Amino acid sequence: MAKALSMSSPVKPISVPNAKSQHEKYLTVMERMVLPETVLLAADDHHPDCVFVEDTAVVIDDRAVICRIGADSRRGEVDAIKESLLGLGLKVQDMRNDTENATCDGGDVLYPVSYRWSDSDGMTTKMGGKYLFVGISSRTNYNGADYLQSAFPNVEVIPIEMRETNWQALHLKSIVTHIDEETLVMPKGKEWDYICDLMDVEGRGLEVVRLPDMAACNVVSANGHVLAQSDICNESKEILKREVEQNRGQTLIYVEASEFAKCDGALTCKSILIP
């Protein structure tokens, strides 16, 4: 992981022992508190970015698209994910086999949806899931967005052009994620109002929670729980507490991810949520 890709060199080098410790705590929270079941894959020492599994696939309901990752050096990460998804019984389409020009990182794909697992009957309830926002970035192109629309015809794919902005963000979900099926979280400030306009949040009936620091805007929402990064400002923590716990009755959990931030990683990057 010390050689993972990054938009810029970190001030302090990545500490692999600290990264392992942070990731183990993330896994513990996901396994014991958030998800009814988890699937763990072995690390691949030939691919230092392999912990960022989110970029390899997009999953909606029982269907998965295997992505052609935008960075050439990371494309060897994908086969292990494909094999795992097939083993889980998902219907899998492989972008790499169907088109030569499409690229997509899962970190550019935002699907505002809520799944709630019931221990009593073992059933999953789905809420929302009308829209698939796809960031057009250095890693994801319009052909990739078009491929997702063909693969998931029951959702509306909305491309979000990121390349001509001053945003210091690798992926769309570096900037905006969701708390639930109708609530997004993104940074405060005029420069971020533009993304609200591109997403037409008001016209699509979406609420937006604005936070003062961008790192706080990457959260994992699953099964009535919201994971947020612990290394964020107090104002962001106060807003999240109000919006997640008090207003929506969800459980807010803080997880450290400072080592992963050094290579443009965040909480959503390290898992693929499968209903």
Side-chain angles (χ1 to χ4, degrees), residues 8-41:
S8 59
S9 299
V11 176
K12 294 183 178 180
I14 295 171
S15 167
V16 174
N18 287 347
K20 287 182 177 180
S21 175
Q22 291 177 8
H23 191 55
E24 287 171 1
K25 291 176 183 177
Y26 173 86
L27 293 176
T28 297
V29 168
M30 296 290 269
E31 290 180 309
R32 297 183 182 178
M33 302 178 67
V34 179
L35 302 175
E37 184 179 355
T38 57
V39 177
L40 305 181
L41 299 181

Side-chain angles (χ1 to χ4, degrees), residues 78-92:
V78 176
D79 287 336
I81 303 297
K82 180 178 181 178
E83 182 179 350
S84 179
L85 295 177
L86 286 169
L88 292 171
L90 273 68
K91 302 171 185 175
V92 175

Side-chain angles (χ1 to χ4, degrees), residues 101-118:
N101 300 317
T103 62
C104 180
D105 278 16
D108 277 319
V109 182
L110 173 63
Y111 184 52
V113 68
S114 294
Y115 295 102
R116 296 292 180 94
W117 171 266
S118 172

Side-chain angles (χ1 to χ4, degrees), residues 40-168:
L40 305 181
L41 299 181
D44 184 345
D45 292 337
H46 294 97
H47 295 96
D49 293 272
C50 68
V51 68
F52 303 128
V53 294
E54 175 186 50
D55 291 325
T56 64
V58 177
V59 177
I60 295 180
D61 300 333
D62 63 347
R63 186 175 296 276
V65 165
I66 299 301
C67 297
R68 178 183 288 110
I69 295 181
D72 290 347
S73 63
R74 295 193 58 196
R75 291 182 178 170
E77 302 170 25
V78 176
D79 287 336
I81 303 297
K82 180 178 181 178
E83 182 179 350
S84 179
L85 295 177
L86 286 169
L88 292 171
L90 273 68
K91 302 171 185 175
V92 175
Q93 290 182 228
D94 195 328
M95 180 183 294
R96 301 171 300 172
N97 296 339
D98 297 337
T99 174
E100 295 181 356
N101 300 317
T103 62
C104 180
D105 278 16
D108 277 319
V109 182
L110 173 63
Y111 184 52
V113 68
S114 294
Y115 295 102
R116 296 292 180 94
W117 171 266
S118 172
D119 289 327
S120 61
D121 59 14
M123 299 295 290
T124 300
T125 302
K126 178 181 179 180
M127 295 167 284
K130 296 180 180 178
Y131 309 114
L132 197 66
F133 298 99
V134 179
I136 306 303
S137 67
S138 62
R139 302 288 178 85
T140 301
N141 61 23
Y142 282 102
N143 290 325
D146 290 342
Y147 187 90
L148 293 178
Q149 183 65 87
S150 66
F152 303 116
N154 295 327
V155 300
E156 179 187 358
V157 172
I158 303 105
I160 306 296
E161 178 59 67
M162 298 174 56
R163 294 171 298 179
E164 297 180 7
T165 68
N166 293 321
W167 301 338
Q168 296 300 308

